[in-house]
Amino acid sequence: MARSVVVSGLVAVALVGCSAPEVAPEVASLSSGTGQAPAPSAERERPRERLDMTPEDLEALQRPYWKCMGEQGIPDKRAMGDLSVTPESDERIAAAEAACAHTVPLPPWERDPANPESHAFLVRVVDCLRGEGVVKVEVVPGESGGHTIAMGGAENDAEQVGLALEHMSECEAEASRR
């Protein structure tokens, strides 16, 4: 089966677009009657990417994660290249990732599977890309739930991928304004 290029949260964020809320909007709820505010969720404590982040902004947002991984004995693979994976290192990496999960940035709210409007946002981005001449682009189910944008079609057409990446930021900005 041929692979298609899929825009992940980090790649899409590097392609800056427009601003988005730092955190998910508040949702009104009924009080439990205890008179105490609910405890903050772990999801709210995690940093959140924004569509308008520069590569430098994204790097700064990821520093706590790489610091935590280093404290767990896992070197920053951005500086060292890919780590060789053995069963022992795979277990160590998994344990470190679990310990550092609270520092992993959440995706931009527009792309977050927790956002009930994220699918509609991605459809608007794809519609914009098609308006720019990208024909091999679609919204597909994501690996970790929600949806993502696949570019290049089954044959992974490099020209189509390049055209989509060229227009991604402006299409995300347009889609977020609607």
Side-chain angles (χ1 to χ4, degrees), residues 3-5 134 136-137 150-158 160-161 164:
R3 299 178 308 182
S4 65
V5 175
V134 182
K136 296 180 180 178
V137 62
M151 301 173 287
E155 58 281 351
N156 199 18
D157 183 323
Q160 284 286 293
V161 171

Side-chain angles (χ1 to χ4, degrees), residues 25-78:
E26 292 293 324
V27 177
S29 63
L30 296 173
S31 171
S32 63
T34 64
Q36 296 178 0
S41 71
E43 291 297 306
R44 289 188 171 220
E45 295 173 13
R46 287 174 56 193
R48 180 168 301 276
E49 297 172 7
R50 294 184 328 267
L51 291 176
D52 66 345
M53 291 182 108
T54 65
E56 293 79 19
D57 293 337
L58 188 56
E59 177 77 19
L61 193 67
Q62 294 173 345
R63 275 189 205 117
Y65 171 76
W66 289 108
K67 180 178 186 248
C68 180
M69 290 293 281
E71 291 167 353
Q72 301 297 316
I74 305 299
D76 186 337
K77 66 181 176 182
R78 296 169 303 167

Side-chain angles (χ1 to χ4, degrees), residues 94-178:
E97 286 175 341
C100 298
H102 67 285
T103 64
V104 175
L106 293 165
W109 181 240
E110 294 89 347
R111 292 179 166 275
D112 193 328
N115 176 358
E117 300 297 320
S118 68
H119 184 267
F121 170 77
L122 294 174
V123 168
R124 291 191 305 270
V125 172
V126 166
D127 288 345
C128 174
L129 289 169
R130 288 183 179 146
E132 297 294 336
V134 182
V135 294
K136 296 180 180 178
V137 62
E138 63 184 324
V139 176
V140 297
E143 290 179 14
S144 59
H147 293 83
T148 192
I149 296 175
M151 301 173 287
E155 58 281 351
N156 199 18
D157 183 323
E159 185 176 317
Q160 284 286 293
V161 171
L163 187 59
L165 292 174
E166 178 182 332
H167 294 286
M168 185 63 70
S169 294
E170 66 193 64
C171 285
E172 286 181 330
E174 180 181 316
S176 69
R177 285 190 292 266
R178 290 194 223 165

Side-chain angles (χ1 to χ4, degrees), residues 14-26:
L15 305 168
V16 296
C18 64
S19 65
E22 287 288 327
V23 294
E26 292 293 324

